Amino acid sequence: MEYQEAKEKFISTWGSLGSMWGINKAMAQIQSLLFISTKPLSMEDIMEELKISRGNTSMNLRQLMDWGIVTKELVPGERREFFTTVKDVEELARHIAKERSRREIKPVIKTLKEVSSIKDDGTAKTQELIKQTKALHDLANTADSLLNKIAAQEQNWITKSLLKLIK
């Protein structure tokens, strides 16, 4: 496989996997293109490479910056904006884990806490609702705590965390 084919396959695959970590295909493709780029890319570079519109590129770059995994970079002598991404795989995973917790898990935990805290009127259906939603709240809270502890590890966090779990 030649470079161009491998690059296209990587970007396409990473784009398809994007939905697994909570982002759309174009957003994942932009991030993957920046990830393998040897230099910061302009919006025009990204649009041309991925064959996507200016609006789509702009919107997704903004979202990637909100996630904290893409930043603007100044290029001396250039008026255009250039973009780069986190290149360290473990740092990238930490950013994604933190953001997914904030956007997805914490709102669910809040809702489950509210629902499981309703007044117990003594009926079987109310008691079952409280019991099950409290169990889900506790599980989600534990999973979020574990995810946050793993994401807080500074270096080799995946390896360190897995070793701690095994020991």
Side-chain angles (χ1 to χ4, degrees), residues 46-161:
I46 295 167
M47 290 166 41
E48 182 180 322
E49 183 72 38
L50 299 178
K51 312 282 188 270
I52 56 177
S53 71
R54 178 174 298 281
N56 194 8
T57 305
S58 176
M59 177 184 67
N60 284 300
L61 281 168
R62 257 192 318 269
Q63 287 180 354
L64 285 162
M65 286 187 285
D66 288 346
W67 276 71
I69 56 178
V70 165
T71 55
K72 288 182 186 178
E73 192 166 306
L74 295 174
V75 174
E78 286 284 346
R79 293 178 63 185
R80 298 179 295 169
E81 293 180 327
F82 287 80
F83 303 89
T84 190
T85 190
V86 174
K87 296 287 190 166
D88 181 279
V89 176
E90 291 185 3
E91 180 68 19
L92 179 62
R94 274 197 303 279
H95 278 283
I96 293 166
K98 287 177 188 176
E99 194 61 22
R100 290 206 62 188
S101 171
R102 186 182 73 80
R103 291 175 182 245
E104 299 168 25
I105 300 171
K106 290 199 184 335
V108 169
I109 290 171
K110 181 181 180 217
T111 300
L112 289 168
K113 183 174 183 169
E114 290 172 5
V115 173
S116 65
S117 299
I118 64 170
K119 182 181 177 197
D120 186 349
D121 62 9
T123 64
K125 64 183 181 181
T126 299
Q127 289 174 346
E128 187 67 13
L129 176 65
I130 292 169
K131 177 182 143 193
Q132 298 298 14
T133 55
K134 177 145 180 38
L136 282 172
H137 171 269
D138 293 346
L139 177 65
N141 208 28
T142 299
D144 190 45
S145 294
L146 179 62
L147 183 63
N148 287 327
K149 284 178 184 173
I150 290 171
Q153 298 294 317
E154 285 303 315
Q155 51 190 331
N156 299 321
W157 67 276
I158 294 174
T159 307
K160 285 181 180 180
S161 299

